[in-house]
Amino acid sequence: MLTELDTLLAALRQTGAERAVLEAADTAHLVVEGHHLLSARALPGLEVDTRETATGIAARVLVREGVRIAQPVHLCFGVVHERGLQQIAMEVRLERGAAVRFIAHCLFPRAEEVRHEMDAQVEIGEGAEFDYAEVHFHGPFGGTTVIPRAAITVGRNGRYRGDFTLTTGRVGTLELDAKVHAGAGSLTELTARVLGSGDDRITLREEVSLDGDDARSLIKTRIALKDRATAMVTGITAGHAPGARGHVDCLELVRDQAVASAMPMVTVTNPLAKVTHEAAIGTVDRRQMETLMAHGLTPEQAVDVIIRGVLR
């Protein structure tokens, strides 16, 4: 009989990762099923303090000054049962000049009524670099509610890159909320890719406050919807300092009875700052479809190819 760990790691392959990454001695990881800590590994210069709670786990991660972690840190969060609640509270701090990449695999292969909440507090020190990629695998039932919330502070000349991907399985309900305060000379890049179907409900709100001189940011969102899925995307950027530069870029594709909304919001409070935006909502391009069908694809296959291209 498969254990919870075996089931979770079987689902891990659906996000493009292999079980071997959790066995490598030079790779830090954290594996949590429901509110059970199943496995963890730290590295010199990377400190991980975790404790189980009644409904999930609380974790503190510290990367010491000047430490650059070579291999990605793998976080594996999930619920393998049909019903459950998982609440993750995470604090991440990078000291001056540190660098690390996290890959979070969020796995809900059998979810019929599962709720996953993530509250993250992230502090990126001066000149530090933090890459965070979150990849989801959901089952076919649409019974997952995912609520990730993050508050990120990027110090002087720091770098933050956040990448959220949910394109495998039914979304269910997604309510993502992220806010970044960006210091002088910093760079922030937020990217989200989501594929909705059935009666999925998607709400994305991403906000960057360019507080320091010459801070830069990009919010890039790609959404594809079919059936009766709905999406509401809000991208907010505010330029508050000289030389601040920001851009909001949203593209949503819809078909069938799906409904998409986009609300880019830009604010400039300093005359030497500049923030721009663009948003496009529409259906699949007919010329692209005809070209693909001329190469032997069915209409359904052609649509899938175009959608996958947008979500890359």
Side-chain angles (χ1 to χ4, degrees):
M1 183 176 179
L2 292 178
T3 65
E4 291 179 342
L5 180 60
D6 290 331
T7 304
L8 202 62
L9 295 183
L12 180 65
R13 299 189 63 182
Q14 300 294 330
T15 66
E18 297 292 337
R19 181 177 187 145
V21 300
L22 303 180
E23 299 171 349
D26 64 345
T27 301
H29 73 257
L30 182 65
V31 181
V32 180
E33 196 287 325
H35 60 277
H36 300 298
L37 175 62
L38 302 183
S39 181
R41 177 183 290 115
L43 292 172
L46 172 67
E47 300 175 9
V48 181
D49 179 24
T50 60
R51 63 179 178 85
E52 294 181 353
T53 68
T55 56
I57 193 167
R60 292 183 178 179
V61 180
L62 173 65
V63 186
R64 290 293 186 184
E65 181 174 346
V67 173
R68 306 181 72 86
I69 305 299
Q71 300 298 329
V73 176
H74 288 267
L75 309 176
C76 188
F77 300 132
V79 176
V80 300
H81 304 287
E82 290 81 1
R83 292 169 176 78
L85 169 65
Q86 183 178 63
Q87 295 175 314
I88 306 294
M90 179 168 288
E91 297 179 17
V92 179
R93 184 160 67 93
L94 277 66
E95 294 185 340
R96 181 177 180 177
V100 68
R101 172 175 169 78
F102 282 13
I103 302 178
H105 313 273
C106 298
L107 312 170
F108 311 99
R110 302 174 180 169
E112 296 181 13
E113 190 177 337
V114 169
R115 184 180 180 91
H116 167 83
E117 299 179 9
M118 164 79 85
D119 281 288
Q121 302 288 325
V122 180
E123 181 182 345
I124 301 170
E126 181 178 351
E129 301 178 18
F130 183 37
D131 284 19
Y132 181 82
E134 184 171 328
V135 184
H136 282 245
F137 169 62
H138 293 195
F141 306 111
T144 309
T145 297
V146 173
I147 305 178
R149 294 177 289 256
I152 303 109
T153 301
V154 187
R156 176 180 294 273
N157 297 324
R159 300 289 184 270
Y160 176 68
R161 298 177 182 88
D163 193 315
F164 181 93
T165 302
L166 204 176
T167 58
T168 306
R170 286 278 309 281
V171 173
T173 298
L174 169 64
E175 299 176 7
L176 183 151
D177 192 332
K179 182 169 185 179
V180 180
H181 284 279
S186 65
L187 172 64
T188 298
E189 298 178 10
L190 302 178
T191 303
R193 306 174 186 87
V194 183
L195 174 60
S197 61
D199 57 357
D200 292 342
R201 295 185 297 118
I202 299 161
T203 305
L204 302 182
R205 186 183 188 279
E206 296 179 297
E207 179 178 356
V208 179
S209 180
L210 300 168
D211 301 328
D213 295 4
D214 300 315
R216 294 168 292 154
S217 70
L218 170 63
I219 299 176
K220 180 179 177 181
T221 308
R222 297 292 183 263
I223 306 290
L225 305 172
K226 62 181 181 179
D227 303 325
R228 302 166 308 285
T230 62
M232 177 63 195
V233 178
T234 304
I236 304 170
T237 301
H240 296 305
R245 296 290 185 269
H247 184 63
V248 180
D249 177 6
C250 176
L251 172 61
E252 297 181 76
L253 289 183
V254 295
R255 54 181 296 206
D256 305 322
Q257 290 79 50
V259 178
S261 302
M263 187 183 298
M265 301 173 61
V266 297
T267 303
V268 171
T269 62
N270 187 290
L272 298 180
K274 182 178 180 180
V275 181
T276 57
H277 71 82
E278 58 182 317
I281 301 175
T283 189
V284 173
D285 186 270
R286 180 167 293 279
R287 288 187 178 182
Q288 288 180 307
M289 278 195 64
E290 292 173 348
T291 299
L292 291 169
M293 290 168 63
H295 286 79
L297 274 64
T298 66
E300 190 71 23
Q301 290 171 332
V303 169
D304 288 341
V305 169
I306 294 169
I307 288 175
R308 292 295 175 182
V310 168
L311 296 174
R312 288 181 61 184

